[in-house]
Amino acid sequence: MKHRLLAVLLLTLGCLTLAILFNAAPAVGSANITSFDGVDPPHAVDIAGKTIPESSATQPDKPIILSKDSNDPKWGELKPEAAFDHSKHNTNVNHTLDGKTLTACVYCHHTDQPSASGGQAYLKRFERKEVLTAAQLEGSKEPVKGCRACHFQEATEETADFPPKSVTYPKEMKKPPSGKLTNDNAYHTRCISCHEVAMTRDPKLKAPQGCADCHVKK
């Protein structure tokens, strides 16, 4: 009888332990889980070989080589000469849409604001109480997530939330639905559309637009 009671007690304790562990762990795709895409191997390093972290409260000080873990059958990581220069893109007016106005942080880091900016009602996820700026980052020390926290690579297993589903834009934007916003789609939509506008403004700019302009061919 004693052995039976002991067995029942151990079984009960085991079930309780599993229940506690299950409830404590964040569900895949929940707001609490951090990125698991582009981490091992890292999806980006700077030109000195330093891994770009999943999130950081410090702006990168060297150009970044993206797509280190590319699963594309034809195109690999960025060429060194096409490395993304974060500093120039937010401090140099030549790297802007109109050649006059510095690009706002939330142009790319669109979740780092409390609500959608004007004309961007299609944005749904907001994770910052104040609009991200260089000054806000310096004062708050609140880390900024990398793009791959949400925009998974095509080969990565999807979750309920990530990569984001297709976006339907307002009619006045005259843009087709985005399609599933994997890292390829999100990066290319944002980068190439900006480069096209910049090149229209100033054809002398060397703003890459094609695959071979940026990526190493496998």
Side-chain angles (χ1 to χ4, degrees), residues 14 86 128 198 203:
H86 185 274
R128 211 174 191 89

Side-chain angles (χ1 to χ4, degrees), residues 13-32:
L13 287 173
C15 291
L16 286 172
T17 301
L18 288 173
I20 291 170
L21 290 173
F22 179 81
N23 289 325
V28 172
S30 75
N32 294 324

Side-chain angles (χ1 to χ4, degrees), residues 33-89:
I33 197 166
T34 56
S35 166
F36 53 79
D37 182 53
V39 176
D40 185 19
H43 76 283
V45 300
D46 67 22
I47 56 173
K50 180 182 177 181
T51 297
I52 302 301
E54 289 184 84
S55 63
S56 177
T58 304
Q59 297 189 57
D61 59 356
K62 294 181 177 66
I64 301 168
I65 297 176
L66 298 163
S67 301
K68 291 289 292 183
D69 63 340
S70 173
N71 279 314
D72 187 278
K74 189 175 181 180
W75 301 103
E77 65 189 61
L78 295 190
K79 298 175 180 178
E81 62 269 26
F84 174 67
D85 195 321
H86 185 274
S87 296
K88 285 185 178 179
H89 278 76

